[in-house]
Amino acid sequence: MPTTVNRRAVLLLCGATAGFLLLDIHKVSLAVPSIERALRPGPAGIQLIQAAYVFCFAVTLVPAGRVGDAGRRLALTYAGAYLYLAASVLCAVAPTAGVVVVGRALLGVAAGLLMPQVMGIVQQLFPAAERGRAFGVYGMCVGLATALGPSLGGLLVTTPLLGWRGVFMMNVPVGVALLVAAHVLLPAVGRDQGGRRRPDVDVTGLALGGLALVALLTPFIFTTGRPDDVDARWLALVPATGLAALFVARSRRRVAAGRSGVIDPALLRVASFRNGVLVSLTWFASGPGVALALTLYLQEARDVSPFVAGLVVLPSSATSVLGSWLGGRHVARLGRVLTGTGMLLVLAATLGTLALLHGDLPTAAVLVGIPLLQLVQGLGGGLVVSPNHSMTLMDVPAAQGSAASAIGQLGQRISNSVGVATASMAYYSTVYGAGFTLTDAPAPLHLDALDRATAVACAFLGAALAVVLLDLRRSRRDTPRALLDARAR
């Protein structure tokens, strides 16, 4: 590792990049009502706009991680950043909903190129003993970007000149700033220590996994609640199961033959990595659904502007940063206790928000109460994400940093995809199934839709908490055994 590298600055750059990539998963919800009025995409079209980004993000992660580990980390970082800029402009100038879907898909590819590289760079720069605090700082940057972004995006959406296009135009100055910083800071990082080598990417395995995810999401995306919904759409779950089984079998065969698979069983045998991925698979399905439902409800039932809807979640930024900082400092000592506590705080804030909205309070009171609850939500989220990043990657060799982070991110993006699709289905089918659209449904119907979408999200949150409790029990059972082994040696 070059001695001239500014590790702190590079860490901040990586965290900020990851934050803006994750922000794109849910910030589009601020513009959904405006897109509905302007382009009339309908519930399935809105779902495709949301799903295209997360799906392409997911399927690009693993090959990008493999290529990055093979010595092309900087090249993929620059390529992803330039594609991020171009795709953002395409979304911003799109004349139809179909073009927005294409632009969002390209944005997802850019995110998939970038995310494993920034995670791999952190792995490369910081040894295992320093990663807890490094990922604490990384989590602070992610939390700050994802919390501040909706406010700025909401402000741009409310401007008459930009409207819904503003949520994509905000990516342009952000992308330029990140590119400039990357060209200044990253050359000192250098390429992978292993040098440039030909990556072994399982294209067939990726195709099987991608098709399995498409089949899994299809019935949720096309459940609108309208009478013309095709009942046979649920049969897509049958090929989804078969394709997933073929995907797993192929990965195992390739790894057994000494080649790389999309999922490396050797990495999944690392307990900390495997359990971190399981937490991600459940936890990351809950947050976007809650954010989407709350944003839609505030705009359409309470007549709140996108800017104010974005401001409502702003207080979570401070406590999210605090939670990430605390998590990074204490993860080595408290471990899963931190993530479990964070999840309970998020659950309490979510249920408190529902109780507040059912309290028949004026909108002014709601706009005071929700930010207070967001303080709790942000703290809980910071305590989950930062420690889980650290615990997931703490035992992974640096040479496999990009591939491991890609698998971890793949789990997160699959989780995001399913979470957004199921929560959106619950919300949209409630509204459209009653014969209304998002823009003309009565407030009580929006509240009913919010309840259903939040219930779906809370189910995922409950599953995540169950995984954490099981992992905590395992770690406490294994710790005395590890101490005895150490004394015996």
Side-chain angles (χ1 to χ4, degrees):
M1 182 180 67
T3 57
T4 57
V5 62
N6 187 335
R7 295 198 304 167
R8 173 71 59 169
V10 172
L11 178 60
L12 294 176
L13 171 63
C14 291
T17 301
F20 282 107
L21 298 178
L22 296 176
L23 174 63
D24 265 298
I25 294 172
H26 57 79
K27 77 177 182 184
V28 73
S29 61
L30 288 167
V32 163
S34 299
I35 293 174
E36 171 73 358
R37 293 185 181 93
L39 303 180
R40 299 292 179 187
I46 294 172
Q47 281 265 52
L48 287 172
I49 290 172
Q50 294 169 327
Y53 178 79
V54 187
F55 172 78
C56 292
F57 195 163
V59 299
T60 310
L61 279 167
V62 172
R66 300 286 185 201
V67 176
D69 281 341
R72 296 168 175 82
R73 198 167 280 163
L74 292 188
L76 288 188
T77 301
Y78 297 137
Y82 282 113
L83 181 59
Y84 177 85
L85 271 176
S88 298
V89 172
L90 178 62
C91 289
V93 301
T96 65
V99 178
V100 178
V101 172
V102 172
R104 288 278 289 171
L106 292 174
L107 268 175
V109 172
L113 293 175
L114 284 166
M115 185 63 83
Q117 313 318 321
V118 298
M119 295 288 288
I121 288 170
V122 175
Q123 287 283 97
Q124 180 180 335
L125 292 182
F126 293 90
E130 299 180 34
R131 285 178 196 162
R133 293 197 176 190
F135 279 114
V137 175
Y138 178 93
M140 289 168 60
C141 297
V142 171
L144 192 60
T146 54
L148 293 176
S151 302
L152 179 57
L155 177 62
L156 294 175
V157 170
T158 58
T159 59
L161 179 62
L162 294 176
W164 63 267
R165 302 176 191 276
V167 81
F168 301 113
M169 281 302 299
M170 70 174 286
N171 288 0
V172 176
V174 168
V176 171
L178 293 177
L179 258 175
V180 171
H183 279 290
V184 170
L185 295 172
L186 295 187
V189 173
R191 293 186 173 90
D192 262 4
Q193 296 174 356
R196 296 176 69 91
R197 57 189 184 275
R198 182 168 181 168
D200 185 14
V201 178
D202 182 11
V203 177
T204 302
L206 286 169
L208 289 171
L211 289 172
L213 184 56
V214 168
L216 174 64
L217 296 178
T218 293
F220 299 106
I221 290 175
F222 291 100
T223 297
T224 68
R226 291 171 168 172
D228 57 354
D229 282 352
V230 179
D231 293 336
R233 67 191 182 279
W234 294 105
L235 294 177
L237 296 179
V238 176
T241 303
L243 288 165
L246 290 173
F247 166 75
V248 172
R250 180 175 175 84
S251 291
R252 287 177 174 172
R253 285 197 307 270
R254 280 179 62 90
V255 172
R259 304 187 65 187
S260 69
V262 178
I263 302 298
D264 187 348
L267 281 173
L268 293 177
R269 284 194 291 270
V270 178
S272 57
F273 179 76
R274 179 183 64 249
N275 295 331
V277 171
L278 287 174
V279 169
S280 295
L281 277 170
T282 46
W283 161 259
F284 282 93
S286 61
V290 171
L292 168 72
L294 181 60
T295 301
L296 288 176
Y297 171 81
L298 289 175
Q299 291 185 70
E300 297 306 314
R302 294 282 183 164
D303 199 26
V304 170
S305 71
F307 174 55
V308 175
L311 282 179
V312 162
V313 301
L314 183 60
S316 68
S317 61
T319 49
S320 176
V321 171
L322 175 62
S324 296
W325 180 76
L326 290 172
R329 287 185 64 85
H330 299 291
V331 62
R333 182 168 59 90
L334 296 176
R336 284 295 172 205
V337 172
L338 286 174
T339 51
T341 301
M343 288 177 185
L344 289 174
L345 289 174
V346 171
L347 180 61
T350 301
L351 296 178
T353 301
L354 276 186
L356 181 69
L357 295 175
H358 278 275
D360 199 24
L361 298 173
T363 299
V366 168
L367 294 180
V368 172
I370 292 180
L372 293 176
L373 289 166
Q374 284 292 309
L375 293 172
V376 179
Q377 183 114 3
L379 178 63
L383 289 176
V384 173
V385 175
S386 174
N388 194 59
H389 269 309
S390 180
M391 286 184 284
T392 301
L393 297 175
M394 64 183 356
D395 298 322
V396 173
Q400 295 178 280
S402 287
S405 64
I407 294 172
Q409 287 290 325
L410 176 62
Q412 292 178 21
R413 300 295 76 80
I414 291 174
S415 181
N416 286 148
S417 300
V418 175
V420 170
T422 52
S424 298
M425 177 192 69
Y427 200 107
Y428 299 150
S429 62
T430 302
V431 172
Y432 287 90
F436 295 94
T437 67
L438 292 177
T439 57
D440 62 15
L445 186 60
H446 275 289
L447 185 58
D448 186 25
L450 173 67
D451 289 342
R452 297 185 183 188
T454 305
V456 170
C458 285
F460 286 114
L461 182 55
L465 186 58
V467 174
V468 166
L469 292 175
L470 289 173
D471 190 40
L472 181 61
R473 181 181 177 185
R474 177 203 59 80
S475 64
R476 288 182 172 176
R477 183 185 66 245
D478 292 347
T479 298
R481 187 184 309 162
L483 289 175
L484 289 174
D485 292 342
R487 288 174 182 173
R489 290 194 297 268

